[in-house]
C-alpha cells in the first residue's frame, strides 16, 4: 500500500506523450482508447494499457531500453481486440470500448478478462473459445477443454476496503507534506500501519490525522539534513524523557543520533529537543525515511507489510470478505444458470496467501486449504448445487487450483479436464 505525489514534475505529461507515440503501432488499441483523453495527474496509473505503452517505450530498470515484455503483451491485446471488435454486436462493442478507455476498476476488470482470453487461446487443450457471445447467455466464456464444454464466469479482486482507506490517507498526507518541505526534494517514508489502524471503525481521515501527527513530531529531525536515510530507533532511553535529556546518548545511534545531535547547534533545534518526549519519536508510525535532492519535488509514503500484525490481520479480513462477496455475487447473479459445466474463475493474488497454487510444498498448501475452506463455506451457505466450483489463479491460469462445490459430486474426468488449463503447451 502506498502513495506518491510529485510537484512541478512533467512525469505525467512525458508518460502521456510516450504512450501516445507508441500507440501509433497498435491501430486497434488506438481506435478504442480515445488517445487517453480522460487521463490526468490523479488517475493515470489506473489504465493498464496506458501503463504498458509507456513502459514499452523505456524502462528505467533496463537502462531505458524498450521493455519487450510490455511490447509482447500489447501485441497480444491488439490481436485479441481486433478479433473481438469484428465479432461483437454493436452494443457489446460499445460497452467494451467504454471500459477500455476508462480509468479504474471497470477498466482493470476488462483487461483481466482479455488476459484470460489470451491465455485460453494460447493453450492447445482449449478450443472453440467464445467470449461475450450474446447467443450463449450473459456469462463471459464458453469453451471446450479437452473436447468437453465448459462455461466460465471470470472475475478478480480489486483493492480491499482497508487498502483503499490507507492509500487514500497516504495520498492526502503526501500532498500536505510536499507543501512543507523544500522544493526539488525527494522524500520516501515507510509507515508501520499496525500503529495507525484500530481493530474496527477505521476511517481514512483518522489514519491521515495520526500519520500527520507523527510526521509533525519528526519533521525537525527529518529536515535537519536533506540528504540521507534514517531508521527511527525504538530503544532510545526512557519514554518520558525529553530528547534533550538523552543528548549524551546521541553518538550511540548512528544516523538517528547524528540528526538529533545536529539540532543542538541552533536555538530552534534545542527548543524542539526539549519539547519532544522520546516516545513521540520511537512509538510513532513512521519507521524509516530517505531524503535527498531530486529533479522535482516528490513525496512517497508506503506501508510495511508485516505479518502477523493487527494491520495485516485487518487487511486479510477485508480481502477474505471481498473474496466471499465476489463468489457470492457470481453465484446469486445466475449468469451460469442452466449452463454445461459452469465454473467461476477468480484471479486472486496477495502475499498473505502467496503460492497457494503450488501443490508441492506443505507450507503453501496451508494457504490453499484456508482459501478452500472459505470458498466451500460460501457454497454451503448459499446451498448452490449447480456450479462445479471455483478456479483460483495467481496472475496466470498456469498457476491455478480448483475448489470443488462441496454440495455436488464432480466427475473425476471433469476435474482432469479443468487441470488441462495449467498445461504449459501453447498454440501458435
Amino acid at each position: 500500500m502506498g502513495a506518491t505525489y510529485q510537484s512541478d514534475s512533467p512525469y505525467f505529461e512525458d508518460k502521456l506523450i510516450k504512450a501516445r507515440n507508441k500507440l501509433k503501432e497498435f491501430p486497434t488499441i488506438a481506435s478504442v482508447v480515445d488517445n487517453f483523453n480522460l487521463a490526468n495527474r490523479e488517475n493515470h496509473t489506473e489504465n493498464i494499457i496506458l501503463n504498458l505503452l509507456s513502459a514499452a517505450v523505456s524502462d528505467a530498470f533496463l537502462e531505458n531500453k524498450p521493455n519487450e515484455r510490455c511490447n509482447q503483451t500489447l501485441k497480444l491485446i491488439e490481436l485479441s481486440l481486433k478479433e473481438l471488435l469484428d465479432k461483437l454486436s454493436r452494443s457489446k462493442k460499445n460497452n467494451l470500448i467504454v471500459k477500455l478507455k476508462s480509468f479504474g476498476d471497470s477498466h482493470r476488470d476488462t483487461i483481466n478478462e482479455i488476459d484470460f482470453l489470451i491465455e485460453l487461446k494460447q493453450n492447445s487443450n482449449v478450443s472453440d473459445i467464445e467470449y461475450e457471445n450474446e447467443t450463449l447467455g450473459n456469462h463471459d466464456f464458453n469453451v471446450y477443454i479437452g473436447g468437453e464444454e465448459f462455461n466460465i464466469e471470470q472475475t478478480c479482486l480489486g483493492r480491499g476496503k482497508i487498502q483503499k482507506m490507507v492509500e487514500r490517507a497516504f495520498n492526502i498526507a503526501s500532498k500536505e507534506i510536499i507543501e512543507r518541505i523544500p522544493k526539488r526534494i525527494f522524500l520516501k517514508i515507510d509507515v508501520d500501519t499496525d500503529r495507525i489502524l484500530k481493530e474496527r471503525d477505521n476511517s481514512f481521515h483518522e489514519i491521515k490525522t495520526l500519520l500527520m501527527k507523527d510526521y509533525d513530531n519528526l519533521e525537525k529531525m527529518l529536515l535537519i539534513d536533506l540528504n540521507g536515510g534514517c531508521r527511527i530507533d525504538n530503544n532510545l532511553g526512557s519514554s518520558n524523557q525529553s530528547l534533550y535529556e538523552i543528548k549524551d546518548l546521541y553518538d550511540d545511534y548512528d544516523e538517528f543520533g547524528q540528526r538529533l545531535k545536529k539540532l543542538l547547534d541552533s536555538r530552534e533545534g534545542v527548543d524542539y529537543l526539549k519539547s519532544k518526549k522520546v516516545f513521540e519519536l520511537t512509538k510513532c508510525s513512521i519507521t524509516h525515511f530517505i531524503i535527498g535532492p531530486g529533479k522535482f519535488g516528490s513525496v512517497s509514503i508506503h506501508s510495511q507489510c508485516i505479518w502477523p500484525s493487527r494491520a495485516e490481520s485487518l487487511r486479510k479480513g477485508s480481502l477474505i470478505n471481498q473474496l466471499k462477496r465476489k463468489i457470492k455475487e457470481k453465484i446469486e447473479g445466475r449468469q451460469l444458470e442452466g449452463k454445461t459445466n459452469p465454473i467461476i474463475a477468480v484471479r486472486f493474488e496477495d502475499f498473505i496467501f502467496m503460492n497457494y497454487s503450488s501443490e508441492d510444498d506443505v507450507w503453501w498448501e496451508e494457504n490453499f486449504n484456508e482459501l478452500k475452506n472459505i470458498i466451500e463455506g460460501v457454497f454451503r451457505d448459499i446451498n448452490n448445487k449447480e456450479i462445479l466450483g471455483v478456479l483460483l489463479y495467481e496472475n496466470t491460469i498456469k498457476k491455478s487450483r480448483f475448489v470443488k462445490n462441496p454440495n455436488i459430486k464432480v466427475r473425476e474426468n471433469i476435474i482432469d479436464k479443468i487441470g488441462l488449463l495449467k498445461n504449459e503447451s501453447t498454440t501458435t
Side-chain angles (χ1 to χ4, degrees):
M1 296 181 282
T4 299
Y5 186 75
Q6 295 176 314
S7 67
D8 304 322
S9 168
Y11 172 77
F12 164 65
E13 289 81 3
D14 289 347
K15 175 181 177 178
L16 203 55
I17 290 170
K18 287 195 298 184
R20 284 171 171 169
N21 286 335
K22 186 69 177 177
L23 191 58
K24 297 171 185 176
E25 299 176 24
F26 303 98
T28 306
I29 295 176
S31 71
V32 302
V33 298
D34 195 24
N35 213 29
F36 303 113
N37 287 326
L38 297 176
N40 57 50
R41 284 180 175 271
E42 301 295 326
N43 71 9
H44 67 90
T45 61
E46 297 180 17
N47 185 290
I48 294 170
I49 294 176
L50 174 58
N51 295 337
L52 286 169
L53 286 163
S54 174
V57 176
S58 62
D59 190 316
F61 294 102
L62 296 175
E63 299 177 350
N64 290 322
K65 296 177 182 178
N67 187 320
E68 288 306 319
R69 182 184 60 81
C70 292
N71 267 305
Q72 184 60 29
T73 300
L74 286 163
K75 289 175 184 177
L76 292 171
I77 292 174
E78 172 78 7
L79 289 172
S80 294
L81 274 181
K82 190 175 188 309
E83 287 184 26
L84 285 174
L85 294 175
D86 288 341
K87 291 173 61 177
L88 292 177
S89 67
R90 184 173 182 177
S91 61
K92 287 274 188 180
K93 185 187 302 184
N94 289 339
N95 187 48
L96 179 66
I97 291 172
V98 167
K99 291 178 179 178
L100 288 174
K101 69 181 181 182
S102 68
F103 290 72
D105 291 344
S106 178
H107 169 84
R108 184 206 66 225
D109 292 348
T110 303
I111 290 295
N112 278 325
E113 288 179 8
I114 292 174
D115 283 345
F116 194 86
L117 173 64
I118 289 169
E119 279 212 73
L120 291 176
K121 287 184 174 182
Q122 290 178 325
N123 192 317
S124 59
N125 297 297
V126 184
S127 61
D128 302 310
I129 303 164
E130 294 288 346
Y131 169 60
E132 292 283 349
N133 189 326
E134 287 174 306
T135 62
L136 297 171
N138 196 34
H139 61 289
D140 294 323
F141 296 92
N142 174 269
V143 302
Y144 281 77
I145 307 171
E148 186 90 31
E149 181 184 0
F150 288 85
N151 289 276
I152 305 171
E153 178 65 15
Q154 191 274 348
T155 189
C156 61
L157 266 65
R159 295 169 297 167
K161 181 180 178 181
I162 293 294
Q163 183 173 347
K164 287 181 179 179
M165 195 181 296
V166 170
E167 289 180 352
R168 184 179 180 187
F170 284 4
N171 188 52
I172 296 171
S174 65
K175 291 179 180 179
E176 290 187 14
I177 292 171
I178 205 165
E179 296 298 322
R180 295 168 51 166
I181 65 175
K183 294 184 180 299
R184 300 183 185 277
I185 285 294
F186 164 81
L187 174 63
K188 179 180 180 293
I189 295 172
D190 292 327
V191 175
D192 180 356
T193 46
D194 216 31
R195 296 183 179 181
I196 55 175
L197 288 172
K198 302 180 296 185
E199 291 289 346
R200 53 184 299 174
D201 300 327
N202 290 283
S203 74
F204 80 90
H205 178 73
E206 287 181 336
I207 294 168
K208 191 274 291 187
T209 300
L210 286 170
L211 176 56
M212 288 306 299
K213 179 183 176 182
D214 290 339
Y215 174 79
D216 288 342
N217 287 331
L218 281 175
E219 189 175 55
K220 291 288 186 187
M221 189 266 286
L222 186 150
L223 296 179
I224 193 65
D225 185 347
L226 297 179
N227 195 0
C230 180
R231 183 163 299 282
I232 311 303
D233 200 293
N234 59 11
N235 184 26
L236 191 69
S238 174
S239 292
N240 289 317
Q241 288 182 293
S242 72
L243 294 172
Y244 185 77
E245 288 178 279
I246 62 164
K247 61 181 182 298
D248 292 338
L249 301 177
Y250 291 169
D251 286 333
D252 297 331
Y253 290 94
D254 298 324
E255 178 70 18
F256 185 44
Q258 293 309 304
R259 285 177 171 270
L260 294 175
K261 191 173 181 178
K262 288 179 182 179
L263 289 164
L264 292 171
D265 296 335
S266 69
R267 181 71 255 172
E268 186 181 12
V270 170
D271 289 343
Y272 164 80
L273 294 170
K274 288 181 177 179
S275 69
K276 296 298 176 188
K277 300 292 186 181
V278 168
F279 75 87
E280 292 180 278
L281 268 63
T282 60
K283 301 301 181 185
C284 78
S285 60
I286 298 173
T287 60
H288 180 262
F289 65 83
I290 297 173
I291 190 167
K295 188 176 181 181
F296 307 98
S298 176
V299 172
S300 294
I301 304 176
H302 297 274
S303 65
Q304 291 182 308
C305 297
I306 301 171
W307 177 261
S309 68
R310 180 177 64 252
E312 284 304 301
S313 292
L314 286 169
R315 196 176 68 82
K316 180 179 180 180
S318 176
L319 200 68
I320 288 172
N321 288 336
Q322 188 184 174
L323 177 63
K324 289 178 179 178
R325 186 171 63 253
K326 283 280 187 179
I327 295 171
K328 184 178 179 181
E329 287 173 355
K330 292 302 179 183
I331 295 173
E332 294 183 334
R334 301 189 178 281
Q335 291 166 282
L336 292 166
E337 189 173 29
K339 302 301 177 185
T340 302
N341 293 327
I343 292 172
I344 298 171
V346 181
R347 180 171 179 166
F348 177 79
E349 50 204 310
D350 192 274
F351 85 94
I352 286 181
F353 290 103
M354 67 185 297
N355 293 335
Y356 66 80
S357 62
S358 174
E359 300 180 54
D360 303 320
D361 193 305
V362 175
W363 176 263
W364 306 127
E365 191 69 11
E366 291 182 12
N367 287 337
F368 174 70
N369 286 334
E370 184 173 358
L371 292 170
K372 178 174 177 287
N373 290 334
I374 291 165
I375 293 167
E376 288 178 345
V378 175
F379 278 109
R380 290 192 180 100
D381 289 344
I382 299 176
N383 196 30
N384 176 274
K385 296 181 180 179
E386 185 173 14
I387 293 173
L388 300 186
V390 172
L391 183 77
L392 282 174
Y393 68 101
E394 296 182 88
N395 188 39
T396 169
I397 310 174
K398 295 181 179 68
K399 294 178 64 177
S400 62
R401 297 287 291 272
F402 184 67
V403 179
K404 293 185 290 184
N405 181 345
N407 300 321
I408 59 177
K409 184 174 178 60
V410 183
R411 301 195 318 267
E412 281 304 315
N413 70 314
I414 294 295
I415 301 296
D416 292 341
K417 302 280 188 185
I418 295 170
L420 294 175
L421 290 172
K422 300 174 71 168
N423 197 295
E424 293 293 333
S425 65
T426 61
T427 57
T428 56

